Amino acid sequence: MDTKTTEKTATAKTDEVAEDATTEAADTTPGAGTPAAADADLLDEQDEQDDDEQDDEEAASPEATGIGAGAAAVVSAALSAVALTGTWTGKVVAERETLVGQIKTSGSGTPAQQISEIYGDAWHSTALVNGVFALLALIVAALVLILPRRPAWVRAVAVAGAVLGGLGLLLSVGTYFDLFLSLPTAGS
């Protein structure tokens, strides 16, 4: 048990003892059914309700439930999946690089230059965009894992996001530097 729970338990027991003493005194006091006694009982009930509402607000706060950390963990996993599968932004950037390469080599480029400008730059730009998404996934996952006292499912999703983000980053770096597949060469 933590300190707050112990304090709340001790306070609750003290309140119960005081309430029992008040009830006994009210029962033995002449005129216990008077309006003043009813007002005192009403005030005691309102105080208890206020305490209950305050406890409910503390329990429902975002810090207590871990909603933000859970959302960040899910975002990390989603960014990792996007880094592995590719994005619309990556596709647009690749198409732009292809168009720029076609313009540069439209009539005077050698076959090797055309391959590099039209296809190579598009592959590299796609790898760069996917690498940025993977890096974002790793950063968000690391932030979630650094936070203390989070539910197990939040940590599990954050670890999945970190692993997939790391894999996406490795694949993006390998693609950008042509470690897995090199550019095709022009035939002679």
Side-chain angles (χ1 to χ4, degrees):
M1 290 178 66
D2 63 1
T3 307
K4 280 187 169 181
T5 306
T6 306
E7 290 173 358
K8 287 180 183 177
T9 305
T11 305
K13 287 180 181 178
T14 306
D15 291 343
E16 288 175 12
V17 170
E19 186 177 313
D20 289 342
T22 305
T23 306
E24 289 174 7
D27 289 343
T28 59
T29 307
T34 62
D39 289 341
D41 289 341
L42 183 61
L43 289 174
D44 287 343
E45 288 178 18
Q46 287 176 349
D47 287 342
E48 289 176 14
Q49 288 176 352
D50 291 342
D51 289 343
D52 290 343
E53 288 174 6
Q54 189 176 24
D55 290 342
D56 291 342
E57 288 173 6
E58 288 175 3
S61 69
E63 294 87 21
T65 58
I67 292 172
V74 170
V75 166
S76 170
L79 285 171
S80 312
V82 166
L84 288 172
T85 60
T87 64
W88 176 81
T89 307
K91 180 75 171 164
V92 169
V93 170
E95 291 295 326
R96 182 185 183 282
E97 288 298 321
T98 300
L99 181 61
V100 169
Q102 288 173 351
I103 292 170
K104 283 183 181 178
T105 62
S106 62
S108 61
T110 64
Q113 185 183 13
Q114 287 178 347
I115 290 171
S116 175
E117 292 290 328
I118 295 172
Y119 300 108
D121 290 348
W123 289 348
H124 295 154
S125 62
T126 301
L128 185 64
V129 170
N130 290 344
V132 167
F133 277 94
L135 186 61
L136 285 173
L138 275 173
I139 291 170
V140 171
L143 289 175
V144 170
L145 290 172
I146 289 172
L147 296 174
R149 299 178 60 194
R150 293 295 166 213
W153 74 270
V154 171
R155 290 199 175 273
V157 173
V159 167
V163 168
L164 290 175
L167 181 62
L169 190 61
L170 287 174
L171 289 174
S172 295
V173 167
T175 302
Y176 187 82
F177 291 110
D178 297 326
L179 299 177
F180 304 123
L181 295 170
S182 61
L183 284 175
T185 57
S188 48

